[in-house]
């Protein structure tokens, strides 16, 4: 067992005069070689965590203000022929490729290619920016490269649909510090490949070029995400979920049968609601909030139904669980 992203670099452990050179060397290995222009080299701060997931590379970075360039000379020297998908987690940045220049803000997504020149500018004053970058071999993305070229360096707000799904997945991946097995990395690599393929296909109008299995998986993931975001709506049901995604109830149930590992739509909704309630019952900040109010917040409007469901799932009543989870007073 090991954490998914491993600590690779932290400038705080180096003398100020050595940080920029160390950053240049580390990023050349973990990402790709770039030229850097850093005005305040002695004040430079950065960190990098990375993982190689069966050929898909994931890197979480923080960095001070700088300009980086991927030049034709560097491309000739070394080109792994990868697409790079970035999520801006903090700080305003600009990326330019040819005549396309985009201003990126927190929550935005962008794609570029290691085989094409580009320029990235970061100006965060005395602070640091943060991003997550996924590098995936172009050969693993079954889409026409000339059509993917059209969206290179374009700003994509990660606010809805498959954009929100990909942004949320990358955010959680960067924040995940729990233990993982080797097989977990292989599965996450497959999920990332499917998500990025579907995301690109959506933006180049090439959904029909993605494998059927990929489209089904991404549709199922979007439905799961929709359910998790609407758990507090007491009217949430298989009917409303199907209607929101413009599919039949039969199609919805088939997707869950294929991908939900034994959950039906209704049982998945109930399972997610109970998990949120259990989390809130253990939260000391909510200690004065009545149990029935917490249950209602997550869609259980009938206290008796909620109590039975909670006891069936966790083996204790909600009140008893809250008492057990509350830290004892000295």
């Amino acid at each position: 067992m090991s954490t998914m992203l491993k600590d690779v670099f932290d400038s705080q452990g180096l003398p100020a005069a050595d940080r920029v050179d160390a950053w240049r060397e580390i990023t050349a290995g973990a990402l790709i070689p770039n030229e850097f222009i850093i005005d305040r080299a002695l004040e430079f701060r950065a960190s990098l965590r990375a993982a190689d997931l069966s050929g898909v590379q994931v890197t979480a970075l923080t960095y001070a203000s700088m300009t980086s360039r991927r030049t034709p000379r560097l491309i000739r020297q070394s080109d792994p022929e990868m697409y790079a998908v970035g999520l801006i987690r903090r700080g305003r940045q600009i990326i330019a490729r040819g005549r396309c220049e985009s201003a990126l803000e927190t929550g935005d997504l962008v794609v570029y290619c290691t085989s094409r020149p580009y320029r990235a500018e970061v100006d965060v004053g005395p602070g640091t920016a943060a991003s997550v970058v996924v590098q995936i071999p172009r050969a693993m993305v079954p889409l026409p490269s000339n059509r993917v070229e059209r969206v290179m360096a374009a700003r994509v707000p990660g606010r809805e649909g498959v954009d929100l799904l990909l942004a949320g997945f990358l955010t959680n991946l960067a924040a995940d510090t729990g233990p993982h097995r080797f097989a977990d990395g292989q599965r996450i690599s497959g999920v990332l490949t499917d998500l990025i393929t579907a995301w690109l296909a959506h933006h180049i109008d090439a959904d029909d070029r993605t494998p059927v299995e990929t489209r089904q998986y991404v549709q199922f993931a979007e439905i799961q995400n929709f359910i998790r975001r609407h758990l507090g709506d007491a009217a949430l049901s298989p009917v409303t979920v199907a209607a929101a995604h413009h599919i039949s109830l039969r199609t919805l149930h088939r997707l869950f049968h294929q991908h939900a590992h034994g959950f039906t739509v209704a049982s998945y909704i109930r399972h997610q609601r109970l998990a949120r309630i259990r989390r809130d019952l253990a939260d000391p900040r909510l200690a004065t909030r009545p149990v029935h109010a917490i249950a209602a917040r997550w869609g259980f409007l009938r206290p008796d139904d909620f109590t039975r469901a909670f006891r069936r799932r966790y083996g204790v009543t909600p009140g008893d669980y809250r008492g057990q989870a509350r830290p004892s007073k000295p």
Side-chain angles (χ1 to χ4, degrees):
M1 292 270 189
S2 62
T3 56
M4 184 62 66
L5 300 184
K6 294 179 172 57
D7 293 328
V8 176
F9 176 83
D10 191 334
S11 62
Q12 290 184 345
L14 295 173
D18 298 338
R19 292 175 181 176
V20 172
D21 287 340
W23 175 251
R24 184 178 293 110
E25 182 179 348
I26 286 293
T27 53
L31 294 165
I32 49 174
N34 281 284
E35 289 183 353
F36 291 101
I37 300 173
I38 300 172
D39 292 334
R40 298 173 177 154
L42 294 180
E43 301 173 18
F44 183 72
R45 292 178 295 154
S47 67
L48 186 150
R49 295 181 297 122
D52 187 338
L53 308 176
S54 300
V56 176
Q57 299 175 33
V58 181
T59 311
L61 313 98
T62 65
Y63 37 88
S65 299
M66 63 180 179
T67 297
S68 62
R69 290 193 180 99
R70 177 75 171 157
T71 66
R73 178 181 62 84
L74 290 174
I75 293 170
R76 287 193 298 270
Q77 291 176 355
S78 172
D79 181 18
E81 298 187 355
M82 288 187 165
Y83 290 127
V85 176
L87 168 69
I88 308 303
R89 300 186 66 205
R90 183 175 68 242
R92 190 173 185 272
Q93 308 185 32
I94 293 174
I95 186 165
R97 177 183 173 273
R99 296 181 179 179
C100 179
E101 181 173 298
S102 302
L104 309 174
E105 300 182 353
T106 301
D108 288 343
L109 293 157
V110 68
V111 61
Y112 49 98
C113 181
T114 63
S115 305
R116 301 287 184 269
Y118 61 81
R119 182 185 81 257
E121 299 177 4
V122 182
D123 186 359
V124 287
T128 56
S131 62
V132 186
V133 177
V134 178
Q135 291 188 148
I136 179 171
R138 291 165 56 185
M140 292 176 63
V141 180
L143 298 173
S145 58
N146 62 326
R147 294 175 68 175
V148 177
E149 288 274 343
R150 302 173 191 173
V151 295
M152 293 287 183
R155 172 179 177 258
V156 180
R159 306 289 187 271
E160 60 184 9
V162 70
D163 303 330
L164 178 63
L165 191 64
L166 178 57
F169 190 89
L170 295 181
T171 298
N172 291 334
L173 190 58
D176 187 357
T177 58
H180 292 272
R181 296 168 297 179
F182 176 76
D184 296 329
Q186 292 181 306
R187 282 192 290 269
I188 290 173
S189 174
V191 170
L192 270 175
T193 301
D194 285 344
L195 271 178
I196 289 173
T197 299
W199 176 71
L200 288 172
H202 172 74
H203 287 287
I204 65 173
D205 296 323
D207 295 277
D208 58 325
R209 301 293 294 269
T210 60
V212 173
E213 295 80 4
T214 295
R215 295 200 299 272
Q216 288 180 345
Y217 174 79
V218 171
Q219 183 180 39
F220 174 70
E222 287 183 315
I223 290 170
Q224 284 184 304
N225 193 40
F226 174 86
I227 289 173
R228 289 193 294 266
R229 289 187 289 113
H230 292 83
L231 290 172
D233 182 357
L236 184 68
S237 69
V239 172
T240 60
V241 172
H245 291 84
H246 310 290
I247 59 177
S248 67
L249 263 177
R250 183 177 180 179
T251 298
L252 177 65
H253 289 308
R254 185 173 68 247
L255 281 170
F256 267 75
H257 177 73
Q258 292 172 340
H259 299 286
H261 305 291
F263 283 108
T264 64
V265 186
S267 67
Y268 181 78
I269 293 172
R270 183 170 60 252
H271 175 82
Q272 292 294 317
R273 282 174 167 164
L274 290 172
R276 298 301 193 283
I277 293 168
R278 187 172 78 150
R279 180 196 65 189
D280 285 357
L281 290 174
D283 189 339
R285 295 170 298 180
L286 302 177
T288 60
R289 184 171 298 180
V291 170
H292 66 83
I294 291 176
R297 175 193 177 193
W298 295 109
F300 277 101
L301 302 185
R302 298 180 178 179
D304 290 344
D305 291 346
F306 159 65
T307 299
R308 281 194 297 271
F310 191 95
R311 186 166 192 167
R312 190 182 309 119
R313 176 71 181 86
Y314 298 114
V316 294
T317 66
D320 288 344
Y321 176 80
R322 173 179 259 181
Q324 295 168 8
R326 189 176 302 168
S328 59
K329 296 180 179 179

